[in-house]
Amino acid sequence: MSYPFQIKSFDEYKSAYKKSVDDREGFWGEVGLSFSWRNKWDKVLDWNFTEPNIQWFINGKLNITENCIDRHLKDLGDKPAFIWEPNNPQDRVRIVTYNRLHKRACQFAQVLKNNGVKKGDRVCIYMGMVPELAYAILGCARIGAIHSVVFGGFSAQSIADRLEDAKAEYIVTCDGAYRGEKIIPLKDVIDDALVGNKTVKRVIVYTRTRMPVSMIKGRDVWWEDEMEHAETQVEKNNVVSFPAEEMDAEDPLFILYTSGSTGKPKGVVHTCAGYMVYTTYSFVNVFQYKPGQVHFCTADIGWITGHSYIVYGPLAAGATSLMFEGIPTWPDAGRFWDIVDKHKVDILYTAPTAIRSLMGFGLKPFEGKDLSSLKVLGTVGEPINEEAWHWYDEHVGKKKCPIVDTWWQTETGSILISNLAGITPAKPTFATLPLPGVQPVLVDENGVEVTGSPAGGNLCIKAPWPSIIRTTYGDHERCRQNYFSAYKNLYQTGDGALRDEEGNYRITGRVDDVLNVSGHRIGTAEVENAINMHSDVVESAVVGFPHEIKGQGIYAYVICQHMHGDDDSMRKNITQTVARIIGAIAKPDKIQFVKGLPKTRSGKIMRRILRKIAEGETDNLGDTTTLLDPAIVEEIKNGKV
Ligand code: WT7
């Protein structure tokens, strides 16, 4: 596999960038030639941000699995597509070659077909980090079904909401999942999600933990039985085949739900061709991937990072992607380093929160671990603080590995702002420069572009790149409203940023009511809705506060009606309610019971004040004279937890 579009020097970056802006269509048309198409496109791009209507590689026909698998079989058939490291280090590693991946994806596509799944149908996938999760994703893509992967940490209620929103009729899940010492009963959660559900026709269950599960006649089937049956259908005389569905460039590939400033998560829709082209382009360029290298992205496939940089990007590049089932701190805090040593990992891509949590264990976990295979390090998900950056550089990279700080979002599909490993300069705490094709701008509160540098403002993007969000599933107006309405002709990221004299960007965090907890996006309104579900709660307000490991923690101010029980048991009940409604990832770190909330005369909660109190900054609360009841602020200040 060679990558004609791989940038090899800072000068090449500059000229690629210039070309991408001067001749956007020419630039991406050329990159597009490195992929395999059933039919080439007629026109590279058509777009407007007002509707929005964004189309890339118009009338191009392809199937992404032919790009991720079939085209590699001749040269890379026996090479590992995935190396799978199990939760328990004593268990057997699984190596999935491209040949094997081809067979399994074809088999699973046949399973889907046998169960009535057709092109365009939505399939919800709720599984642990097992290779079968990748087979499920690729099986869907092969027959043109739209996958909607839901992270294993979400609750039954969250799954039910997502099933309903996507009108999904099919589910793929596991009996359970291993996570450190814990076993997560995934099928049980699905069963809870399906109480009262009338639309789901089939649940396919992969056996991972052999824990007891209830299998409902006529609805639930075992993965193993289905795959065995499909094997005889897709394999004749030792030749495996399952014809890939011919997809239009703009047919949806997947839905991935993400939180925003409203109470209800949005189903971000990505389409086949643009997502494939830009994800692969960014993978090869940011990490400077070289054939044969082992790429270890520690994210869960339930998030966009896993979609783009464990599955689609690496596979389309014919790479070897390491998939890890467990957690960084089990059996001990040296687990990542064991994995790097054991599998001779070249590229490690993780989150600042993981780095900060491992920093707390000191240097002992590194003893006896050989990290000399590492060549490139990456971070994603949240701003990285200076201390964590240097620790990563010194103790993991041994000051020999470039660190790429990659800024992007579920909606952007792939990395938009990042240095290119060893090619463009790094600057600690800066995501640095935009990738070719990406035109960031900073705008002030009035929507006026801030030119010159240094500067700060709301980060927006001027024109489309191939993996930009196309719509929010089932509600296009919501997509327009959310991302394209605040500023004319701009995609609004929701992040604030600074730009230095060299044009490097530093992301400062969200400018809306969205929190970033351990690199996971959580809407404050969503958490408030969940808290308010508790029978004794009258009202609540949720804000973020700086958290040493998580980046941001969740601080909830809660007004109760009667306060049944003591503060502590009430806190536990509220926490449990949030876990039930959203999932454990949204549990508040701190709950303060209050008699009232600071509101303006028009009834709006003054979050600015609540944020400052949660941050511990109680001296300078700004103007409180417009408050309905200024005395409440003193009371809240005194009761801070
Ligand atoms: C939000 C997107 C993109 C995959 C993981 C998160 C924050 C992401 C960085 C970074 C500073 C970052 C932003 C963004 N973010 N990467 N390198 N530096 N902040 O995906 O859940 O869609 O969240 O994560 O605030 O808007 P997501």
Side-chain angles (χ1 to χ4, degrees), residues 161-234:
D161 293 344
R162 285 158 174 74
L163 287 171
E164 189 187 300
D165 187 82
K167 301 188 176 51
E169 294 175 327
Y170 306 91
I171 298 177
V172 190
T173 188
C174 299
D175 51 354
Y178 293 117
R179 258 185 82 77
E181 293 173 310
K182 290 195 202 135
I183 299 184
I184 319 287
L186 297 178
K187 176 61 163 61
D188 271 4
V189 180
I190 290 289
D191 288 337
D192 287 344
L194 290 181
V195 171
N197 176 294
K198 294 203 172 53
T199 49
V200 170
K201 295 180 186 158
R202 190 70 80 233
V203 181
I204 301 171
V205 186
Y206 172 71
T207 311
R208 172 63 187 125
T209 60
R210 299 181 184 279
M211 69 200 301
V213 292
S214 105
M215 294 292 281
I216 303 297
K217 195 180 291 165
R219 188 193 73 185
D220 301 352
V221 295
W222 292 110
W223 168 289
E224 293 75 12
D225 295 345
E226 297 294 307
M227 286 292 267
E228 198 182 311
H229 177 60
E231 187 165 11
T232 56
Q233 295 172 281
V234 300

Side-chain angles (χ1 to χ4, degrees), residues 388-405:
W389 196 97
H390 288 294
W391 188 87
Y392 199 30
D393 183 36
E394 229 166 274
H395 301 295
V396 183
K398 317 287 182 200
K399 296 203 153 185
K400 286 189 326 233
C401 303
I403 299 176
V404 290
D405 177 350

Side-chain angles (χ1 to χ4, degrees), residues 21-323:
V21 174
D22 294 346
D23 176 15
R24 193 184 318 280
E25 293 194 48
F27 179 83
W28 288 112
E30 213 167 285
V31 176
L33 294 176
S34 290
F35 294 82
S36 133
W37 302 83
R38 294 276 186 92
N39 254 312
K40 222 187 123 190
W41 57 89
D42 297 334
K43 189 176 185 318
V44 174
L45 173 65
D46 206 359
W47 69 285
N48 71 66
F49 275 175
T50 34
E51 294 175 60
N53 177 10
I54 304 151
Q55 296 180 53
W56 282 94
F57 304 103
I58 297 161
N59 288 328
K61 306 286 177 202
L62 76 161
N63 186 289
I64 196 168
T65 69
E66 291 184 333
N67 283 275
C68 288
I69 309 174
D70 302 54
R71 66 169 171 155
H72 303 316
L73 295 179
K74 195 169 142 277
D75 294 334
L76 304 173
D78 294 327
K79 295 278 186 298
F82 288 113
I83 297 172
W84 179 75
E85 170 72 18
N87 180 60
N88 184 339
Q90 259 94 56
D91 288 351
R92 193 172 57 90
V93 166
R94 290 167 64 185
I95 307 285
V96 183
T97 62
Y98 274 94
N99 280 329
R100 176 58 58 99
L101 182 62
H102 178 244
K103 179 166 170 180
R104 294 292 182 245
C106 285
Q107 252 174 292
F108 194 69
Q110 181 69 50
V111 166
L112 291 170
K113 188 176 173 188
N114 292 346
N115 282 281
V117 179
K118 293 182 300 298
K119 177 178 175 179
D121 288 348
R122 276 81 50 220
V123 178
C124 171
I125 303 178
Y126 186 69
M127 298 173 84
M129 285 285 284
V130 287
E132 284 69 18
L133 166 53
Y135 307 159
I137 286 175
L138 295 162
C140 285
R142 194 143 184 108
I143 68 163
I146 303 167
H147 56 77
S148 162
V149 182
V150 177
F151 173 62
F154 280 113
S155 69
Q157 183 63 51
S158 294
I159 298 167
D161 293 344
R162 285 158 174 74
L163 287 171
E164 189 187 300
D165 187 82
K167 301 188 176 51
E169 294 175 327
Y170 306 91
I171 298 177
V172 190
T173 188
C174 299
D175 51 354
Y178 293 117
R179 258 185 82 77
E181 293 173 310
K182 290 195 202 135
I183 299 184
I184 319 287
L186 297 178
K187 176 61 163 61
D188 271 4
V189 180
I190 290 289
D191 288 337
D192 287 344
L194 290 181
V195 171
N197 176 294
K198 294 203 172 53
T199 49
V200 170
K201 295 180 186 158
R202 190 70 80 233
V203 181
I204 301 171
V205 186
Y206 172 71
T207 311
R208 172 63 187 125
T209 60
R210 299 181 184 279
M211 69 200 301
V213 292
S214 105
M215 294 292 281
I216 303 297
K217 195 180 291 165
R219 188 193 73 185
D220 301 352
V221 295
W222 292 110
W223 168 289
E224 293 75 12
D225 295 345
E226 297 294 307
M227 286 292 267
E228 198 182 311
H229 177 60
E231 187 165 11
T232 56
Q233 295 172 281
V234 300
E235 190 166 358
K236 303 241 156 59
N237 308 323
N238 274 328
V239 179
V240 175
S241 81
F242 181 94
E245 184 77 26
E246 184 169 296
M247 304 292 284
D248 185 82
E250 284 298 335
D251 278 337
L253 175 63
F254 65 83
I255 304 170
L256 190 58
Y257 284 87
T258 190
S259 297
S261 40
T262 60
K264 198 175 147 239
K266 307 175 280 264
V268 172
V269 175
H270 285 290
T271 57
C272 294
Y275 175 78
M276 170 185 76
V277 169
Y278 189 83
T279 299
T280 314
Y281 180 84
S282 61
F283 171 72
V284 165
N285 280 308
V286 170
F287 302 106
Q288 286 293 306
Y289 185 82
K290 307 286 176 327
Q293 290 188 334
V294 176
H295 175 77
F296 177 19
C297 167
T298 70
D300 191 286
I301 292 176
W303 308 106
I304 190 71
T305 310
H307 281 60
S308 300
Y309 299 109
I310 297 177
V311 183
Y312 287 115
L315 294 182
T320 295
S321 180
L322 194 147
M323 186 173 171

Side-chain angles (χ1 to χ4, degrees), residues 298 305 328 336 348-360 378-389 391-392 403-408 429 516-520 547-552:
T298 70
T305 310
F336 277 178
L348 175 68
Y349 189 30
T350 194
T353 188
I355 298 169
R356 286 192 300 265
S357 118
L358 294 176
M359 277 168 74
T379 69
V380 60
E382 49 179 323
I384 182 163
N385 48 310
E386 194 106 24
E387 202 191 344
W389 196 97
W391 188 87
Y392 199 30
I403 299 176
V404 290
D405 177 350
T406 66
W407 174 84
W408 55 299
T429 76
N516 190 325
V517 181
S518 301
H520 302 321
H547 188 287
E548 218 180 307
I549 290 174
K550 298 178 176 184
Q552 264 187 315

